[in-house]
Amino acid sequence: MSAAGVGADLTRQKPVAMADGHVGLNGAFAAALTRVVGSMPALYVTLVIVGGWMALATWGPLHSVDPYPFGFLLFLDNVVQLVLCLVILVGQRVLGMAADRRAVQTYENAEAIFARVADLQAHLDRHDRALGRGVSLLESSPHPWIRRHRVQQPPQAIDQVTGINGRIAAWLTQRLGSMWAFYIAAGTQVVWIGMAQLGVQRFDPYPFAFMSFLSTLAQLIFMIVIMVGQDVLGRAGDRRAEQTLLDAEAVLHECGRMKARLEAQDRVIDSLADYANAQVTKHLAQAIHRSRLDAAVEDGELLGSRPGLLPWDELPVERQEAARRQARQLGDRLAVIGCLMVPTSDPVLTVAFSEEEAEVLARLEHEHGLSVLRVLGAAALPGQRDGRHDDNLSWDELSGQARARTVEEVRRIPAVLADVGFQVLRTGQGADGVGELDFTPEDWATLGRALMASGVLVSLAEGVADAEEIIAMVKLLREAGISHPRRFIRELAAASTFETGLQPATRYADYAAPALETIRAATAIVAKSAPEELADFRAFLMEIATVVADANDEGGFFGLGARPRVPNEVAAMEAVRAATDLDRPEPAPSSTPRKKGA
């Protein structure tokens, strides 16, 4: 696969999450059990139950049932500890599998980066051959880890299992760290208690001393297995950290090599550019002068009838330098109308100036001519600069005929550039719509707040703003600031400060009214100042709302039956849509959103 193809695959990858290890019904149950037990509320409930039981058994009605030393409570404690040991083993196994998958993903990503680096170095090699007459401008060698990385597999937890003891530990962890082991342990205790209560087995009646003994023994074994597993995970983590560090060192080393090579190429390019610019400027100045001579002859003037109509070789040095200065500034003047001059690649793409563009260029050309006259003849009398009475007049003072003549001159710029191997292309800025400078600072700030409001409103629709949803919105804004096809949206997204204005106690009912008012105000601003951008602005606000709504799955029971969007989010999206439609009344937003996961 090519480096470009590998890079494209990387952009479609998703980071490995621990939840990826929960597959099937057992996995979903393990995830739910771990989530419930491994929480601070579970700790608080446990403390309340144990403390309350001890108090009631000491001074209250449970004294006759379970007095000190609280035999039944100790029995329950043993059972729960055994169950928790198994839950810990299951969680440890899932963590190990997730870490192994992350190691593989990191390994593959590093391989893709190294492939892209090799491709870039090969590209720079081609530049070296073109610029250095076949001599490489790079004096260093690739980082040795790059070659070792390709023959060394990503570190896995199983790699740390060595010897017979390690294999036994791995076997125990594999068998005990499963939901089936949990089911067997829980089921065995339930069956044992049931048989004792029914009189089937009389060997271990209540308070089940033998079963408590076995439970304590099993807990001891499980805790040792857990510690062995932690050691294995720790050693595997150390190996991964070492490999990641070497990957980073190799990438930085290669970046340094490319930087050094580019600096060497810069020196060669600067030398070539200086020579090329001098030659292009000279030829372009001569072509511009020839074009003026041809135009004057077409108008019936005679060569040499005025100083500006002399052949190039007979022009005074000052006028030749003025023509070269005009040639050097031509690219800057073309940039004003959103165009640029480049070496000819496809003559069909050369543009023709519009009336407005031609007049802008003509004004700039005339102002350049006035500045040249001030340099050439500051003491000359009006009307004697070049034998023409309009040489001293500003653009606004020129006659219509003089303006038309200058406009016609600039229309020949593409043909003049074609004579020296260049063409005029548009950059896209001129036709790409409005930008920040077309709005007042206050209006621009309102537009930026509307972007954030459209996403935050949907995030709050489920009770509180979700971090994953806010991150998705920020990512969209950053990408739009670089790659959105409309200049207006690009500049607006790039200027975003990502300030949500949220406070810890902010709720949907508090945020909805001001947020929707901001969106309506922003829509009105765009409709007034840039109506051609209104459709794209509305679409972008809805894109933000949609990305936030689809950022994660919500609802269901322990993740089962969850949906990308829930009714409250759909209602918030509709409120955003209504706020962007100035001709339609906005539906009243719900003030009591349903809690997440309900």
Side-chain angles (χ1 to χ4, degrees), residues 535-562:
D536 291 291
F537 181 67
R538 287 171 169 166
F540 190 59
L541 290 179
M542 290 309 303
E543 183 179 359
I544 295 173
T546 302
V547 165
V548 171
D550 295 344
N552 53 26
D553 292 344
E554 295 174 305
F557 178 74
F558 291 125
L560 300 176

mmCIF file of all heavy atoms in Angstrom, residues 535-562:
data_model
loop_
_atom_site.group_PDB
_atom_site.id
_atom_site.type_symbol
_atom_site.label_atom_id
_atom_site.label_comp_id
_atom_site.label_asym_id
_atom_site.label_seq_id
_atom_site.Cartn_x
_atom_site.Cartn_y
_atom_site.Cartn_z
ATOM 1 N N ALA A 535 -27.585 30.942 3.089
ATOM 2 C CA ALA A 535 -27.889 29.508 2.990
ATOM 3 C C ALA A 535 -26.758 28.667 3.584
ATOM 4 O O ALA A 535 -27.001 27.703 4.321
ATOM 5 C CB ALA A 535 -28.138 29.123 1.538
ATOM 6 N N ASP A 536 -25.500 29.044 3.283
ATOM 7 C CA ASP A 536 -24.371 28.285 3.812
ATOM 8 C C ASP A 536 -24.248 28.471 5.321
ATOM 9 O O ASP A 536 -23.861 27.537 6.037
ATOM 10 C CB ASP A 536 -23.073 28.728 3.126
ATOM 11 C CG ASP A 536 -23.024 28.303 1.672
ATOM 12 O OD1 ASP A 536 -22.907 27.097 1.413
ATOM 13 O OD2 ASP A 536 -23.128 29.175 0.795
ATOM 14 N N PHE A 537 -24.577 29.674 5.827
ATOM 15 C CA PHE A 537 -24.506 29.914 7.265
ATOM 16 C C PHE A 537 -25.552 29.068 7.990
ATOM 17 O O PHE A 537 -25.243 28.426 9.014
ATOM 18 C CB PHE A 537 -24.740 31.401 7.540
ATOM 19 C CG PHE A 537 -24.674 31.772 8.995
ATOM 20 C CD1 PHE A 537 -23.478 31.698 9.695
ATOM 21 C CD2 PHE A 537 -25.810 32.182 9.676
ATOM 22 C CE1 PHE A 537 -23.408 32.044 11.041
ATOM 23 C CE2 PHE A 537 -25.751 32.527 11.019
ATOM 24 C CZ PHE A 537 -24.551 32.456 11.695
ATOM 25 N N ARG A 538 -26.772 29.043 7.477
ATOM 26 C CA ARG A 538 -27.805 28.203 8.094
ATOM 27 C C ARG A 538 -27.394 26.731 8.084
ATOM 28 O O ARG A 538 -27.544 26.013 9.074
ATOM 29 C CB ARG A 538 -29.121 28.372 7.341
ATOM 30 C CG ARG A 538 -29.824 29.701 7.592
ATOM 31 C CD ARG A 538 -30.980 29.846 6.631
ATOM 32 N NE ARG A 538 -31.846 30.960 6.966
ATOM 33 C CZ ARG A 538 -32.762 31.468 6.137
ATOM 34 N NH1 ARG A 538 -32.917 30.939 4.930
ATOM 35 N NH2 ARG A 538 -33.515 32.484 6.516
ATOM 36 N N ALA A 539 -26.879 26.299 6.934
ATOM 37 C CA ALA A 539 -26.483 24.890 6.814
ATOM 38 C C ALA A 539 -25.370 24.543 7.791
ATOM 39 O O ALA A 539 -25.352 23.450 8.383
ATOM 40 C CB ALA A 539 -26.031 24.594 5.381
ATOM 41 N N PHE A 540 -24.438 25.483 8.019
ATOM 42 C CA PHE A 540 -23.331 25.201 8.936
ATOM 43 C C PHE A 540 -23.815 25.139 10.380
ATOM 44 O O PHE A 540 -23.341 24.304 11.162
ATOM 45 C CB PHE A 540 -22.245 26.259 8.778
ATOM 46 C CG PHE A 540 -20.978 25.923 9.513
ATOM 47 C CD1 PHE A 540 -20.278 24.761 9.240
ATOM 48 C CD2 PHE A 540 -20.482 26.771 10.502
ATOM 49 C CE1 PHE A 540 -19.118 24.439 9.921
ATOM 50 C CE2 PHE A 540 -19.319 26.458 11.189
ATOM 51 C CZ PHE A 540 -18.641 25.293 10.892
ATOM 52 N N LEU A 541 -24.738 26.005 10.761
ATOM 53 C CA LEU A 541 -25.294 25.928 12.109
ATOM 54 C C LEU A 541 -25.969 24.579 12.340
ATOM 55 O O LEU A 541 -25.816 23.960 13.403
ATOM 56 C CB LEU A 541 -26.302 27.060 12.334
ATOM 57 C CG LEU A 541 -25.738 28.481 12.438
ATOM 58 C CD1 LEU A 541 -26.869 29.484 12.633
ATOM 59 C CD2 LEU A 541 -24.747 28.598 13.582
ATOM 60 N N MET A 542 -26.724 24.100 11.347
ATOM 61 C CA MET A 542 -27.375 22.803 11.490
ATOM 62 C C MET A 542 -26.365 21.661 11.481
ATOM 63 O O MET A 542 -26.561 20.647 12.145
ATOM 64 C CB MET A 542 -28.403 22.603 10.367
ATOM 65 C CG MET A 542 -29.628 23.492 10.500
ATOM 66 S SD MET A 542 -30.379 23.390 12.160
ATOM 67 C CE MET A 542 -30.710 21.645 12.273
ATOM 68 N N GLU A 543 -25.256 21.844 10.747
ATOM 69 C CA GLU A 543 -24.209 20.814 10.758
ATOM 70 C C GLU A 543 -23.591 20.704 12.151
ATOM 71 O O GLU A 543 -23.321 19.594 12.640
ATOM 72 C CB GLU A 543 -23.132 21.164 9.736
ATOM 73 C CG GLU A 543 -22.038 20.108 9.631
ATOM 74 C CD GLU A 543 -20.977 20.444 8.608
ATOM 75 O OE1 GLU A 543 -21.097 21.501 7.949
ATOM 76 O OE2 GLU A 543 -20.016 19.670 8.472
ATOM 77 N N ILE A 544 -23.370 21.841 12.805
ATOM 78 C CA ILE A 544 -22.837 21.822 14.170
ATOM 79 C C ILE A 544 -23.810 21.101 15.099
ATOM 80 O O ILE A 544 -23.420 20.232 15.893
ATOM 81 C CB ILE A 544 -22.573 23.256 14.668
ATOM 82 C CG1 ILE A 544 -21.469 23.915 13.847
ATOM 83 C CG2 ILE A 544 -22.204 23.256 16.149
ATOM 84 C CD1 ILE A 544 -21.268 25.384 14.154
ATOM 85 N N ALA A 545 -25.103 21.466 15.011
ATOM 86 C CA ALA A 545 -26.103 20.827 15.867
ATOM 87 C C ALA A 545 -26.165 19.319 15.620
ATOM 88 O O ALA A 545 -26.292 18.523 16.559
ATOM 89 C CB ALA A 545 -27.466 21.470 15.624
ATOM 90 N N THR A 546 -26.072 18.910 14.363
ATOM 91 C CA THR A 546 -26.145 17.491 14.016
ATOM 92 C C THR A 546 -24.935 16.722 14.552
ATOM 93 O O THR A 546 -25.069 15.617 15.085
ATOM 94 C CB THR A 546 -26.234 17.331 12.490
ATOM 95 O OG1 THR A 546 -27.383 18.027 12.014
ATOM 96 C CG2 THR A 546 -26.330 15.864 12.111
ATOM 97 N N VAL A 547 -23.750 17.307 14.405
ATOM 98 C CA VAL A 547 -22.530 16.649 14.888
ATOM 99 C C VAL A 547 -22.600 16.442 16.398
ATOM 100 O O VAL A 547 -22.222 15.389 16.926
ATOM 101 C CB VAL A 547 -21.290 17.479 14.507
ATOM 102 C CG1 VAL A 547 -20.074 17.031 15.309
ATOM 103 C CG2 VAL A 547 -21.003 17.336 13.025
ATOM 104 N N VAL A 548 -23.099 17.441 17.127
ATOM 105 C CA VAL A 548 -23.225 17.314 18.575
ATOM 106 C C VAL A 548 -24.240 16.227 18.937
ATOM 107 O O VAL A 548 -24.004 15.396 19.814
ATOM 108 C CB VAL A 548 -23.624 18.670 19.199
ATOM 109 C CG1 VAL A 548 -23.978 18.498 20.675
ATOM 110 C CG2 VAL A 548 -22.489 19.665 19.055
ATOM 111 N N ALA A 549 -25.386 16.234 18.251
ATOM 112 C CA ALA A 549 -26.421 15.243 18.553
ATOM 113 C C ALA A 549 -25.938 13.821 18.296
ATOM 114 O O ALA A 549 -26.318 12.886 19.006
ATOM 115 C CB ALA A 549 -27.675 15.536 17.728
ATOM 116 N N ASP A 550 -25.087 13.632 17.284
ATOM 117 C CA ASP A 550 -24.635 12.295 16.910
ATOM 118 C C ASP A 550 -23.280 11.935 17.522
ATOM 119 O O ASP A 550 -22.676 10.931 17.144
ATOM 120 C CB ASP A 550 -24.526 12.193 15.375
ATOM 121 C CG ASP A 550 -25.884 12.334 14.706
ATOM 122 O OD1 ASP A 550 -26.905 12.209 15.412
ATOM 123 O OD2 ASP A 550 -25.918 12.580 13.496
ATOM 124 N N ALA A 551 -22.790 12.754 18.464
ATOM 125 C CA ALA A 551 -21.449 12.520 19.007
ATOM 126 C C ALA A 551 -21.365 11.233 19.803
ATOM 127 O O ALA A 551 -20.332 10.577 19.841
ATOM 128 C CB ALA A 551 -21.013 13.710 19.879
ATOM 129 N N ASN A 552 -22.439 10.844 20.482
ATOM 130 C CA ASN A 552 -22.406 9.583 21.234
ATOM 131 C C ASN A 552 -23.815 9.009 21.310
ATOM 132 O O ASN A 552 -24.796 9.696 21.043
ATOM 133 C CB ASN A 552 -21.827 9.789 22.641
ATOM 134 C CG ASN A 552 -22.545 10.895 23.401
ATOM 135 O OD1 ASN A 552 -23.708 11.188 23.142
ATOM 136 N ND2 ASN A 552 -21.843 11.523 24.328
ATOM 137 N N ASP A 553 -23.866 7.731 21.665
ATOM 138 C CA ASP A 553 -25.148 7.050 21.800
ATOM 139 C C ASP A 553 -25.709 7.303 23.194
ATOM 140 O O ASP A 553 -24.980 7.286 24.186
ATOM 141 C CB ASP A 553 -24.983 5.541 21.577
ATOM 142 C CG ASP A 553 -24.638 5.231 20.133
ATOM 143 O OD1 ASP A 553 -24.828 6.126 19.290
ATOM 144 O OD2 ASP A 553 -24.182 4.111 19.868
ATOM 145 N N GLU A 554 -27.037 7.529 23.262
ATOM 146 C CA GLU A 554 -27.665 7.839 24.543
ATOM 147 C C GLU A 554 -28.936 7.017 24.702
ATOM 148 O O GLU A 554 -29.512 6.514 23.734
ATOM 149 C CB GLU A 554 -27.983 9.324 24.622
ATOM 150 C CG GLU A 554 -26.715 10.184 24.607
ATOM 151 C CD GLU A 554 -27.045 11.657 24.535
ATOM 152 O OE1 GLU A 554 -27.759 12.058 23.620
ATOM 153 O OE2 GLU A 554 -26.566 12.387 25.409
ATOM 154 N N GLY A 555 -29.391 6.928 25.929
ATOM 155 C CA GLY A 555 -30.595 6.161 26.232
ATOM 156 C C GLY A 555 -30.263 4.695 26.428
ATOM 157 O O GLY A 555 -29.122 4.274 26.517
ATOM 158 N N GLY A 556 -31.288 3.864 26.485
ATOM 159 C CA GLY A 556 -31.100 2.436 26.640
ATOM 160 C C GLY A 556 -30.836 2.037 28.078
ATOM 161 O O GLY A 556 -30.873 2.844 29.000
ATOM 162 N N PHE A 557 -30.525 0.755 28.254
ATOM 163 C CA PHE A 557 -30.263 0.192 29.585
ATOM 164 C C PHE A 557 -28.879 -0.411 29.562
ATOM 165 O O PHE A 557 -28.636 -1.408 28.876
ATOM 166 C CB PHE A 557 -31.306 -0.867 29.921
ATOM 167 C CG PHE A 557 -31.081 -1.524 31.261
ATOM 168 C CD1 PHE A 557 -31.357 -0.834 32.437
ATOM 169 C CD2 PHE A 557 -30.583 -2.811 31.327
ATOM 170 C CE1 PHE A 557 -31.138 -1.432 33.668
ATOM 171 C CE2 PHE A 557 -30.375 -3.415 32.548
ATOM 172 C CZ PHE A 557 -30.654 -2.724 33.728
ATOM 173 N N PHE A 558 -27.940 0.214 30.314
ATOM 174 C CA PHE A 558 -26.557 -0.215 30.338
ATOM 175 C C PHE A 558 -25.971 -0.305 28.935
ATOM 176 O O PHE A 558 -25.251 -1.236 28.597
ATOM 177 C CB PHE A 558 -26.413 -1.567 31.042
ATOM 178 C CG PHE A 558 -26.673 -1.489 32.521
ATOM 179 C CD1 PHE A 558 -27.625 -2.305 33.118
ATOM 180 C CD2 PHE A 558 -25.983 -0.578 33.301
ATOM 181 C CE1 PHE A 558 -27.865 -2.226 34.479
ATOM 182 C CE2 PHE A 558 -26.211 -0.506 34.661
ATOM 183 C CZ PHE A 558 -27.146 -1.316 35.258
ATOM 184 N N GLY A 559 -26.292 0.679 28.086
ATOM 185 C CA GLY A 559 -25.754 0.727 26.734
ATOM 186 C C GLY A 559 -26.531 -0.064 25.718
ATOM 187 O O GLY A 559 -26.273 0.043 24.520
ATOM 188 N N LEU A 560 -27.505 -0.894 26.161
ATOM 189 C CA LEU A 560 -28.293 -1.693 25.221
ATOM 190 C C LEU A 560 -29.482 -0.870 24.736
ATOM 191 O O LEU A 560 -30.208 -0.289 25.540
ATOM 192 C CB LEU A 560 -28.771 -2.986 25.885
ATOM 193 C CG LEU A 560 -27.652 -3.913 26.406
ATOM 194 C CD1 LEU A 560 -28.271 -5.108 27.115
ATOM 195 C CD2 LEU A 560 -26.781 -4.368 25.257
ATOM 196 N N GLY A 561 -29.678 -0.844 23.431
ATOM 197 C CA GLY A 561 -30.802 -0.102 22.863
ATOM 198 C C GLY A 561 -30.561 1.396 22.795
ATOM 199 O O GLY A 561 -31.510 2.178 22.656
ATOM 200 N N ALA A 562 -29.286 1.841 22.896
ATOM 201 C CA ALA A 562 -28.999 3.275 22.838
ATOM 202 C C ALA A 562 -29.179 3.784 21.414
ATOM 203 O O ALA A 562 -29.062 3.041 20.439
ATOM 204 C CB ALA A 562 -27.581 3.538 23.319
#
